[in-house]
Amino acid sequence: PISPATEVTEEQIRNQAVTRYLCTGYTVNDTATGATSSSGTSSSYSFVVQNDTTITFHWSTEHALVINSSVADVGLSADNSLTLGNPSPVVKKHWIPQDELVTAFIDATAHATEFGQRYRTTGYLITGSGLNNVSSANFPVDPLSTRYQISQFAMRGWIGITYHWTNQIRVQISTTSSKSDNLPAIKVHASTPYYRINTGEFWFDRLSDISIG
């Protein structure tokens, strides 16, 4: 945190601020009559003093929604984080009105430039203010999903979402006869082993332990 005695720079505000207040306009009331003599959306008001006057400036609150993508997990540069998985909202700091509902989306997989490889979203990390109705924790992404949706939440404080990735390798199984298409099997040696049956295209996380028969 920045010390109150420290002069805050514009860059620090832009990079570190998590809540901001916006002047949405003003109203001007004649104190004697209570009548509204003027209103507007400007952040300033000029007038000639003739009576007791009350000028009220109105404010709204916005909180930061910070979307990040940990593309270094799969050896990519920060430039790739903007598009990998087509995240919505996009990777950057967004300012969201207080109490507005937000839903985030990410593609479960993304193409790689190398043949036979792609990237898979393994999960996402939620961080943020305790004022929100979300838990700060790591959450997995369903590997069978196509477009993953994070449960809707209300902006009652700042929230950060960081997506994590792994590499996947393609395995292509085929036979010389369509009559034997249902014979091949791939066994995945996991904590709970499972099988993938038939011919076709299959994707496995890099370093997965598999047997083909």
Side-chain angles (χ1 to χ4, degrees), residues 6 9-10 13 36 42 57 59 75 94 107 120 141 157 178 197:
T6 304
T9 67
E10 178 64 29
I13 294 173
T36 299
S42 173
F57 285 94
W59 299 84
H94 305 261
D107 289 346
R120 179 176 72 83
V141 167
S178 60
I197 309 296

Side-chain angles (χ1 to χ4, degrees), residues 37-196:
S37 57
S38 183
S39 64
T41 57
S42 173
S43 59
S44 64
Y45 176 71
S46 299
F47 66 104
V48 176
V49 178
Q50 296 178 329
N51 301 300
D52 290 343
T53 304
T54 299
I55 302 173
T56 303
F57 285 94
H58 304 281
W59 299 84
S60 66
T61 303
E62 293 183 336
H63 301 293
L65 171 62
V66 183
I67 305 294
N68 287 311
S69 187
S70 185
V71 295
D73 296 345
V74 289
L76 297 178
S77 68
D79 291 341
N80 298 108
S81 67
L82 299 176
T83 58
L84 192 68
N86 190 27
S88 176
V90 299
V91 171
K92 70 172 189 176
K93 177 189 282 188
H94 305 261
W95 290 103
I96 310 297
Q98 181 165 294
D99 294 323
E100 182 169 303
L101 296 177
V102 176
T103 306
F105 298 87
I106 187 78
D107 289 346
T109 60
H111 294 293
T113 56
E114 299 84 358
F115 178 75
Q117 298 189 41
R118 70 179 184 182
Y119 308 110
R120 179 176 72 83
T121 313
T122 59
Y124 56 96
L125 171 66
I126 296 286
T127 54
S129 165
L131 299 174
N132 295 304
N133 58 340
V134 295
S135 301
S136 293
N138 283 289
F139 297 90
V141 167
D142 181 359
L144 299 180
S145 62
T146 301
R147 181 77 170 160
Y148 187 81
Q149 174 182 325
I150 296 176
S151 299
Q152 191 176 70
F153 53 87
M155 292 295 295
R156 300 194 176 102
W158 79 274
I159 291 181
I161 300 174
T162 301
Y163 298 109
H164 287 279
W165 298 87
T166 191
N167 298 85
Q168 284 200 313
I169 307 299
R170 183 176 70 121
V171 175
Q172 182 75 40
I173 302 294
S174 60
T175 64
T176 57
S177 171
S178 60
K179 295 180 180 180
S180 57
D181 280 351
N182 62 342
L183 296 180
I186 302 174
K187 181 179 181 180
V188 181
H189 302 277
S191 55
T192 302
Y194 62 93
Y195 291 85
R196 306 291 296 275

